[in-house]
Amino acid sequence: MAFRQTRTGPLGDCARLVWLILIAAMLAVLLFCLLGPPRAKGAEPVVPSDLYGRVLTRYYPSSVDGTPIPCQIYIPKNSTTTPQKLPVWVDLHSFGNLGNIILPYTLWANTMNMMVIVPEGRNYRSFFMDGKEDPSGTPTPYIYDDFATGSQYWVPATGTWQASGGVYAQSNMTDTWKYTTRGLSSGAAYSASVDVTTLGVSGDDANLESAAGLAVRKQANGDCYLATLVRDGAGKIWARIQKRASGILTTLSNIQLTSVDVAKKHTIKVTVFEDMIEFFVDYIKRTASIQDGTFPEGEVSLVSFGGSHQFDDVRVQNEWLYGETDIMDCIDQALEETSIDTLIRPDCSKIFISGVCMGGMGAWNLGLRYPDMFAGIHPAFGATDFAHNYNWIKTWYPDGDGVKYRVEQDMRSAVSARAVMDGAEPDSSATWVKNTIHANSARYILENALNTPARIEMPEYDSIIPNTTNPMTIKWKTPAGKIVLVYGGTSRPRSSYAHGQGIWKTWAENPGLYKPVPETNLYDYQTGVPKPVTETYGIWNNYDYSALMGYFYGAHVTATTSQVGDCDDFYYPGKILTSFKRLNALYAPLHDDPDDVAYRAYDNVRNRAWWLKMQVAFPDQDNPGLARIHRDRAGNAAGVHVKNTAVTTLDLMRMGLDTSGKPLTVMVDNLTAPEAEFKVSDTYGKTDLELIGQWDPSRKSEYQVKLGTSPVAFEMTGSALTVRGIVTNAGAKTLTVTPPGGLTNLLSGLNPGFESGSAGWSPFMAGTLNGLFEAGSEKYYAHSGSGSLRIKNPRATVAPYEGSWQ
């Protein structure tokens, strides 16, 4: 869904030469990324050390099922020896494209001294959201075989198959197809992958080939789709998709791969959904999306031809279920890996996320579902309402009409949207569909952006993602009512859309909904009218760039220097990073330690931010929970405003509130205004309030807990005090917790009452106390008390002592 064209403006001779050299270098690097040798699993690309830092290619294991998830990390060049914490830029790829770190990104990351993480996920059409399977349908097969215990689930049809040593091998090298089929693997929509190695071939004659890979949607008579890595008689390597129908093989796609050694292990994956087939080798897409719906469903087989082949790590699964999970796994593990570096490590308080098109939608969704993690978001040309945008594309870029509307349906975007919903229409009225779509559409969870600044980039005239909350019209019809498609020239019809200002006006008109004003330079949020496009470079405008680009499809592009001032693609990463640094300078205190937190959630998978956690009363029922919490440090108080929240949990220690020294006051009601345009109806009407802090259950009877003026029942552990069933829809209720006298707060940071000497400590394992430092690393002291203690940055600077704690 992303397309971008770059043009440069008038330049002097010398400057033009410099730019031509730079552009040539960019193109060379880009061509190498697209056409050069594929990455071997775990390999790191060669990057000139004199210009760049390090590009790390990683395959992090999924936290769900261990599937390797591709991820790239860029660590900028740094010649200093002073330890540094660097801001982190997470960049999400556009529709159907792989995330690749190329020259402009590395140059700007070096200039801005930022680390870059490009998570790719296991499925490039996931829309960066966790999909959902139809709860009333047949589940997609979920299979993982590493052959560690043999091949008991496989049924060989032809060939010589044997499982040994954790691999499954086929050793008959005759020029016939050999199959072994996985039981219980039949389905209509799945991704199947396998690691394959060629052990030997039957000869090197030009007429002889060897092939190994997968058969998907295999029928009882052997007809199927074949996705194989092929070595021909001349030694050339091909990624090939074929269809076997009535015993006849037809080649659907055949792509030559350069510099691929089939004697090494390669990961082959094929994905099928509706009439879409895609083929990947080593996590890189090797075909265009093939359309063929001859076989709507069928089993998965391993196949071997003309050689001996070894197979391992077979997976059959619904990959569309893990769009968000995979990305967050990559981010978390990339941060963990790079944090161990003693010189350059990530600054986890300065993580920014951006993306274009589908990546823009991902930046919206992840930025609002994890608002405490991302210190700033840059959603560019990204849909804020998934179902709304799907309906638009389905209407104006329809399936199967024989007309190629740019690349939208060539890339099968509507099919992919349905795949995320297990075949259902994303604009379906089914509750499970609506719940999933609303949970992953920024328009429905805008409250979550209360403390997260954004650089919104959204042209008004975008025919792919119109981004409007108003009824949309498009003037692409002749007087006879037929759609006119002209790709250029004076006869090209102009497109016209209803203004899409509704979402942004909602933000601007509700300061309590969105505190940091979004960086919409060209959008007058006071009047709701876009400013003239010539005023300055901005990120909101209503100019139809398609008139300058020569394309009919509107402004789903980035403007260039020759068109509108300082907007050239070459500067694009620089604009993003500059904005992130400016947003951080303006809003870091607000984001890092907010007094107000708002969060709307549709399930209990992701239902927390900062010091707030909520248990939604009606998960997965399209009936969201909403919480808006205000803290008052000076008054040791909090305001809790909730709807449809069964349990509201506050981490009082993180909030900086005292649970042991003075009374705590919590006011509870359901007045959650201001809300986004979709108001939450409070049908639950109560909440359990769970207060996390330092409590003393042995003295529970000495605590005074009142709701209003009346004592109320409560539960207590050492870390939580809970009051059940506080009514929220019948006026405000004030809960007061008064602790008994004599308690000491050992975790407040100042540790009042904690002894400064060695009283209470006794030797353990021959330890010798020397002040507060222990001599030697294998000797300990034990404390006789039953309290808890937090030690911050334990350090010993004089030998032979070292700081540590357990």
Side-chain angles (χ1 to χ4, degrees), residues 42-64:
E44 296 182 8
V46 177
V47 180
S49 59
D50 57 334
L51 290 177
Y52 310 105
R54 292 177 287 154
V55 177
L56 311 178
T57 299
R58 294 292 184 259
Y59 297 87
Y60 291 120
S62 161
S63 62
V64 175

Side-chain angles (χ1 to χ4, degrees), residues 524-774:
D524 189 339
Y525 63 90
Q526 299 288 346
T527 64
V529 176
K531 296 178 182 179
V533 72
T534 55
E535 181 173 325
T536 181
Y537 174 75
I539 52 182
W540 175 279
N541 62 74
N542 68 337
Y543 197 85
D544 184 4
Y545 294 120
S546 59
L548 298 171
M549 292 294 195
Y551 294 91
F552 82 97
Y553 51 82
H556 195 62
V557 293
T558 299
T560 62
T561 301
S562 61
Q563 294 156 8
V564 187
D566 187 18
C567 303
D568 197 288
D569 278 3
F570 184 80
Y571 294 102
Y572 192 65
K575 295 293 182 185
I576 298 171
L577 300 187
T578 299
S579 176
F580 281 160
K581 290 210 166 184
R582 181 166 60 248
L583 290 174
N584 185 71
L586 291 171
Y587 301 116
L590 175 68
H591 181 268
D592 294 345
D593 191 23
D595 285 328
D596 295 271
V597 171
Y599 202 86
R600 188 193 293 216
Y602 286 78
D603 53 49
N604 290 314
V605 175
R606 178 61 196 173
N607 59 353
R608 66 181 67 191
W610 286 281
W611 28 257
L612 163 69
K613 179 182 177 182
M614 52 193 286
Q615 181 179 314
V616 177
F618 308 105
D620 303 312
Q621 299 179 44
D622 195 37
N623 192 1
L626 174 62
R628 182 181 290 275
I629 314 297
H630 173 73
R631 74 168 180 191
D632 176 5
R633 270 184 175 155
N636 204 42
V640 175
H641 316 285
V642 294
K643 289 181 178 178
N644 298 337
T645 302
V647 181
T648 305
T649 302
L650 302 181
D651 187 337
L652 301 180
M653 309 307 293
R654 289 190 62 189
M655 294 173 73
L657 302 185
D658 189 359
T659 62
S660 60
K662 55 184 178 180
L664 171 74
T665 302
V666 183
M667 190 271 289
V668 184
D669 61 28
N670 69 345
L671 304 179
T672 54
E675 297 180 29
E677 58 182 309
F678 300 99
K679 309 300 182 184
V680 175
S681 176
D682 185 15
T683 58
Y684 192 67
K686 60 183 179 179
T687 191
D688 293 349
L689 184 63
E690 183 180 48
L691 304 175
I692 305 300
Q694 179 190 352
W695 310 102
D696 189 346
S698 67
R699 302 179 65 181
K700 179 182 176 183
S701 61
E702 300 180 56
Y703 283 84
Q704 296 183 36
V705 181
K706 295 181 178 181
L707 195 60
T709 58
S710 303
V712 64
F714 65 97
E715 302 164 16
M716 180 181 286
T717 67
S719 60
L721 186 153
T722 304
V723 178
R724 306 283 182 186
I726 300 176
V727 177
T728 58
N729 58 3
K733 304 290 191 301
T734 300
L735 182 76
T736 304
V737 180
T738 304
L743 294 180
T744 57
N745 184 354
L746 302 183
L747 293 179
S748 66
L750 298 177
N751 290 326
F754 180 67
E755 65 270 21
S756 58
S758 60
W761 294 88
S762 59
F764 178 63
M765 291 183 67
T768 302
L769 194 67
N770 188 332
L772 289 182
F773 293 109
E774 178 64 34

Side-chain angles (χ1 to χ4, degrees), residues 140 185 187-192 216-217 270-272 298-300 316-317 320:
T140 301
S185 64
Y190 51 72
S191 291
V216 296
R217 289 183 176 172
V270 61
T271 296
V272 289
E299 296 177 304
V300 174
V316 182
Q317 60 184 204
W320 288 276

Side-chain angles (χ1 to χ4, degrees), residues 217 224-225 241 243 245 250 252 272-277 289-296 412:
R217 289 183 176 172
C224 59
Y225 296 109
I241 294 184
K243 175 175 64 176
T250 303
L252 304 179
V272 289
F273 186 82
E274 293 185 5
D275 64 349
M276 181 175 70
I277 308 170
S289 298
I290 296 170
Q291 293 176 241
D292 191 291
T294 305
F295 309 121
R412 316 299 287 148

Side-chain angles (χ1 to χ4, degrees), residues 384-420:
T384 59
D385 187 332
F386 188 90
H388 190 67
N389 189 236
Y390 167 79
N391 189 58
W392 172 268
I393 289 177
K394 189 178 67 172
T395 299
W396 297 105
Y397 303 85
D399 291 324
D401 66 352
V403 179
K404 301 300 183 185
Y405 288 76
R406 186 188 162 235
V407 295
E408 287 313 302
Q409 294 300 49
D410 292 348
M411 293 179 65
R412 316 299 287 148
S413 61
V415 173
S416 300
R418 291 191 291 271
V420 172

